[in-house]
Amino acid sequence: MWLLSTARAELHFFSDPAAVPKGYATLSHTWSQDPNNPEQSFQDAQRIATECRANGTNPRDVVCEKIRMCCITAERDGYHWVWIDTCCINKESSTELSEAINSMFTWYVLCEVCYAFLDDVSSDDDPKATNSQFRHSRWHTRGWTLQELLAPALVYFLSKDWETIGSKHDLAETLEGITRIYSKYLTRDWDFLTASIAVKMRWASRRKTSRVEDEAYCLLGLFDINMPTLYGEGRQAFIRLQAEIVRLSYDTTLFAWGNVHLPSDETLAQAPSQGNVDNFHDFHEYLFAPSPAYFHIPYFYAAAVTLKEKVSHFLMSHEKALDVRNRVTSFGAVTPPSFTLTPHGMKCHFPIAEADGPTIMVLLAFKYPYKHVGLLLCPAQPSEFQDPNLPVYYVSWRFKTTDSHRVLRLADLGDDLDSLTFRGQSLKPVWRDICIRAAPRTQDRTDTPHMIIRMRHDQTIALFRVPRCLIGELSALQLLVFSSVFETDDNAAHERVLLCQEASIPVRIRIKTGICKRASTDEAPMHWAWAMTASRKTWYDSWDRPHDCATDHVDDWKGEQRSFGDEERTVRISFTTDRHNKKTRVLHVELHGTVYEELQREANVWIGREDPSRSLAAAAALESARPGTGEALDVQLTPEGLPVSHTPLPTPTTSSSLSTNAALPRGVVATTNADSTPAARLRDAIASPIIDPRTLDLGSLSASDLDALKLRLSHLLPLLEALRLVAPDSVPP
């Protein structure tokens, strides 16, 4: 491993952490979000050291502030060496990067102290206060900081000015409220490695990573797993992690995620088994979860079955100490279940019960409060290559509500392992071998390329088209996008549904499009569309309706766009005509509202629009450069959203001079006026830029352009008032 010397911030290599004299400190932090102040890399540290050796200076005085202050803090506490992930890993070497990721948990375990630097917390903040900066620090939301909180024995939290806030032990109860990690795990009264898989996954369920693969890689040490890192594999990384866990563990709480069928749900009617789940391939259908987010359900606290009687003992039991062989039940002795990955899915040896409808696999796990749980299974369509003696299943079962349906994955089986029940029916489990689809097959995968390939909107008769960039943007928000054909409206044709959903928010958006039979002709199809959004309260509400000719026809929309939802969740949709087929409409989507804005801000992805901060930056810059300075103020923007500085341009006389302003949006002409009189200021306010409505292409104006124009127009009223009082005859027509 590479370590920095605290005295000079120079890199030195040690073959083993144990070989570091007098130990080392580590830094836990969130990476800089400021593009003008990026983190310094391994190569940066090497270059600075080389330059300083040549000119005789100390590299510690040249490195960035974070590295410098970390070295000073560690040196002050008596440590000669410190490890910082940004500059102590050579990320240009895939071998070294993979080794570091697989060893990182161990490096944090072996460190003498870990400094958790919170750059968004002031030194005068009270961390235990209800609305403290500490409670809302970004550090608590990142995936990698989970192992950095748990692995070191001694963690000190430092404010943005490097003052000590408190230790992990001092703040254990506060941290429990923030992270949902029981304080006894933080204080080491309980061994956190003995927590069940579901509990550990729940700790990670609300945390985010910049790369989707890191959702899995940041958990390797927590589950004592080593596996190659393959950046570019996407969500397959988390599938591989679960496959490794299954290979090395008997803990079946890995499958204990999703919605639970409770005794109160016994009144729900069951859907028939034919096509129950097999036709729509939702993420709940599979044995493995797509991401840790699916373990977020707060009322579910899973643990493996042991011989202990009290719940508290169940939660503290270590998997390696499980004595399940001597537990005799009504379905025989409880033996360790087995798992084998096959082309048909995961071959499982488990107690299986046939209920009135679904097949139930008893998980040999329970949820808190003490209730045994099982997986609801639905038979898959037989395959010609399938072993007739080894049936294949999907997970989940549909239950009908008044006007919709619910997809439930788990079943509450009661509190007596010897007398399990489901929907009032006594179960008779027997040990059997079955196969369960562990993860999506190639034809069922939900990464962006596979979602696009299966887009139903791409069928031969495609009167609507979904841009590829939209699917990519939605995927960047970790939304799964499904496209389906829904012929449910008697007065409509070519109905298509675009469903976007995500587990941990939750976010669920349904956009439906079609052609109105009543108002269409072969040459002029009448397109219609509507959208729905969901919160937890409306998650299972009706998600379909016939189109309404009075409101849903796209050609009748005011401003050629329409918004659906409320102040928390708003979907704004509009359409443009396809360049290659005038009958085809191209979908454009924007997400607004407090919930969606926060989701986009965290991911730094803005669906269908620019980052609003760019528009604000442009407006603020234009506000500071008021008219009358003698310099042209045109609205051309840099990639950072700031105005480009120009020398004064000659005032164009007609719109034909647009050809000399190719960098500006069509219809927008730059101008200047060196005069600082009120009349000239008015001309600057109006003519910087000049808008010619005859040639204006609204589609070429970005959100930043519009903000700049609004700011220009906001200057008109005071200027007009000044002109009326000073020189009323000089107001230009």
Side-chain angles (χ1 to χ4, degrees), residues 469-470 473 588-592 600 605-610:
C469 59
L470 175 60
E473 291 170 346
H588 179 82
V589 175
E590 294 181 16
L591 300 184
H592 297 273
Q600 294 173 100
V605 175
W606 300 90
I607 304 299
R609 59 196 175 108
E610 293 183 357

Side-chain angles (χ1 to χ4, degrees), residues 211-230:
R211 297 287 297 268
V212 66
E213 296 89 350
D214 287 336
E215 289 182 348
Y217 301 159
C218 72
L219 299 177
L220 293 179
L222 195 59
F223 291 107
D224 199 16
I225 297 292
N226 288 296
M227 68 183 199
T229 56
L230 305 171

Side-chain angles (χ1 to χ4, degrees), residues 390-535:
L390 193 64
V392 179
Y393 294 87
Y394 285 101
V395 185
S396 296
W397 197 272
R398 286 188 177 187
F399 296 87
K400 298 178 181 178
T401 62
T402 304
D403 52 4
S404 184
H405 68 270
R406 293 180 64 188
V407 179
L408 302 179
R409 174 184 170 88
L410 300 170
D412 182 328
L413 304 181
D415 57 5
D416 187 353
L417 190 61
D418 295 315
S419 182
L420 302 175
T421 60
F422 176 70
R423 295 176 71 86
Q425 177 185 358
S426 179
L427 299 181
K428 303 296 182 184
V430 295
W431 287 89
R432 290 171 51 193
D433 289 334
I434 63 170
C435 264
I436 303 176
R437 297 284 188 201
R441 300 165 295 177
T442 299
Q443 61 267 37
D444 302 327
R445 286 180 56 178
T446 56
D447 54 284
T448 304
H450 286 85
M451 285 192 293
I452 289 175
I453 290 171
R454 292 195 305 276
M455 290 291 292
R456 296 296 184 92
H457 294 73
D458 283 350
Q459 291 180 334
T460 305
I461 304 175
L463 295 176
F464 291 91
R465 186 167 68 82
V466 180
R468 303 296 169 263
C469 59
L470 175 60
I471 304 301
E473 291 170 346
L474 293 169
S475 298
L477 290 184
Q478 301 187 13
L479 293 173
L480 299 179
V481 183
F482 302 93
S483 176
S484 304
V485 177
F486 270 68
E487 300 290 349
T488 59
D489 190 340
D490 293 337
N491 295 310
H494 307 296
E495 294 177 79
R496 302 289 187 271
V497 169
L498 194 71
L499 179 65
C500 315
Q501 51 193 15
E502 202 269 336
S504 61
I505 301 299
V507 170
R508 198 176 192 189
I509 301 167
R510 182 183 178 99
I511 300 173
K512 190 168 183 179
T513 61
I515 302 298
C516 179
K517 292 180 180 179
R518 290 174 292 197
S520 296
T521 65
D522 291 341
E523 294 301 319
M526 178 59 71
H527 301 77
W528 60 262
W530 54 257
M532 288 185 179
T533 64
S535 63

Side-chain angles (χ1 to χ4, degrees), residues 88-99:
C88 292
I89 302 175
N90 182 8
K91 298 178 180 65
E92 293 185 356
S93 168
S94 58
T95 301
E96 185 169 331
L97 177 60
S98 183
E99 179 184 354

Side-chain angles (χ1 to χ4, degrees), residues 35 151 163 184 226 385 484 488 520 525 544 567 616 636 662 701 730:
E163 295 292 332
K184 288 187 178 294
N226 288 296
F385 301 106
S484 304
T488 59
S520 296
D544 203 7
E567 62 182 9
L616 294 175
Q636 187 178 357
L701 288 177
S730 65

Side-chain angles (χ1 to χ4, degrees), residues 98-112:
S98 183
E99 179 184 354
I101 289 175
N102 279 272
S103 304
M104 200 177 298
F105 185 83
T106 300
W107 293 352
Y108 278 105
V109 168
L110 295 178
C111 74
E112 302 300 322

